[in-house]
Amino acid sequence: MTPMTVRTRFAPSPTGFLHIGGARTALFSWAYARRFGGQFILRIEDTDVARSTPEAVQAILDGMAWLGLDHDQGPYYQMQRMDRYHAVIQQMLAAGTAYRCYMSIDELTALRAEQEARKEKPRYDGRWRPAEGKALPPVPEGIAAVVRFRNPVDGVTSWDDQVKGRIEFSNSELDDFIIARADGTPTYNFCVVVDDYDMGITHVIRGDDHVNNTPRQINLLNALGAPVPVYAHLSMILGDDGQKLSKRHGAVSVMQYDDDGYLPEAVLNYLARLGWSHGNEEVFSMAQFVEWFDLNHVTASAAQFNTEKLNWLNAHYIKLADDERLGTEISRRLKMRGFDVPNDGASATAIASINKDRVANLNALTDIAEQFYVMPVISDELKNLHLSDAAKAALKDLRGRLESADWQLAELSASIKASLTATGLKMPQVAIPLRVALFGQTQSAAIDKVLSVLGREETLKRMARVL
RNA sequence: GACCCUAUCGUCUAGAGGCCUAGGACAAUACCCUUUCACGGUAUGAACCCGGGUUCGAAUCCCGGUGGGGUCGCCA
């Protein structure tokens, strides 16, 4: 027997951006396929014509690309598969596994209201379901039929969920759901089933809001004589505050993380660890993740998003990142703020190099870089506090040395120390006033490194302003 | 309301009946390092929802309760 090739899919509906929950679902589906040398398929579920937009499709594609989740097939678009859906519906009608229902929306609404009043689970009552010896109501005028799936009424539908364990539904809980609307367009549960079948999906990894759809889909698959894939339902991700994420509350695009200064590998590592674990491992590459990933170490309960931990990972990955890459990020972000890195100024790469240990975020790094290019505003408070006569005298002494220094780190360092000796001051007594003079604030990277990156001309210019 | 899922430090989690005096990470606190802010290092505090079983033994298995969540669309 040839081993089954794993085929997973990510099937978002393009009604908005790719948010963090969708991204994790995509990541796990992708990782599972990669782990077993299988195929990862991207499918756009755009049958909700009213809410789907091309912008949302692009946003999803952009999000996937930013995260580096590459697909092997697709994107497939359900709207382009209508002929296939119609053919299957005709086939089911002919086979008797589906039937036409002429109940109007008003009648349905009334039925549901009645059921709810009786505290029952609202559901279709099967009035148009054909049965042996049953007289169907007369077909009404002016009502276009919907097509309903003839769901089994007895027995139990179950599956071994790879994250939640065995789940069973009594078929009596399931009603005959609509597979084609009155206008003929197919509905979600039906399209998913036909697509998963046609695309040979072996493992369906998706959010656990689909648990209740699963028995219906399994029954449909059975009616079609199709194999039933393995299911794995991922729990949801809650916001930082423990509240459910929604459009109104906390759900943001993955691209927002780019805007907010996060590195994709930090987001990926964080997401991987949210709801999945490999012993005590916290920090790992995607290559390592793919090697380790499995479904039975996925947590069955919901997880709360923790920005603090993401920040920590981001800081970690910034420290690891190449200076050149960070320099490029700085330039890109500076450009978005409206200015270019000057050719004759400090190098963005060098700025990144001496500051990447101090920041947890690319925007914070960019803020620092900006200070190297923009003449600082020095508050009176800082002037009074740090630019005393003694401090100025020390800075003047230092300026004299810097004017003739060879602009190398070691010599800059030596110059500062020489000034300390000459003035009898301690390092902070010179370094802090110098920071105030150069940046208008008391913190920076090691001051000798700052000088080496800022350059002689700019350094002396800034010092002159306060002396 | 019905059905389904779920429950270990504040948070993410390890834990597959004895290895648990419940481990790691983020966050917190303290100390160390230090050229400031950070980084880094060390240490400390912090949890098995409740009640019944099963068992020589339960965080782990079973039942019930409670809390949390999901779903009940001619949305996906």
Side-chain angles (χ1 to χ4, degrees), chain A residues 132-154:
Chain A
E132 195 94 5
K134 173 180 173 184
L136 260 21
V139 173
E141 294 282 325
I143 297 284
V146 297
V147 178
R148 286 183 183 271
F149 172 58
R150 193 185 164 92
N151 199 76
V153 288
D154 304 314

Side-chain angles (χ1 to χ4, degrees), chain A residues 301-317:
Chain A
S301 55
Q304 189 171 316
F305 195 90
N306 185 222
T307 305
E308 302 270 16
K309 191 162 180 180
L310 205 213
N311 288 342
W312 169 73
L313 277 166
N314 203 43
H316 172 82
Y317 282 106

Side-chain angles (χ1 to χ4, degrees), chain A residues 170-192:
Chain A
S170 178
N171 281 330
S172 60
E173 289 293 328
L174 278 20
D175 63 359
D176 288 352
F177 59 97
I178 292 173
I179 60 175
R181 302 180 181 94
D183 66 3
T185 56
T187 60
Y188 169 75
N189 276 120
F190 176 77
C191 296
V192 166

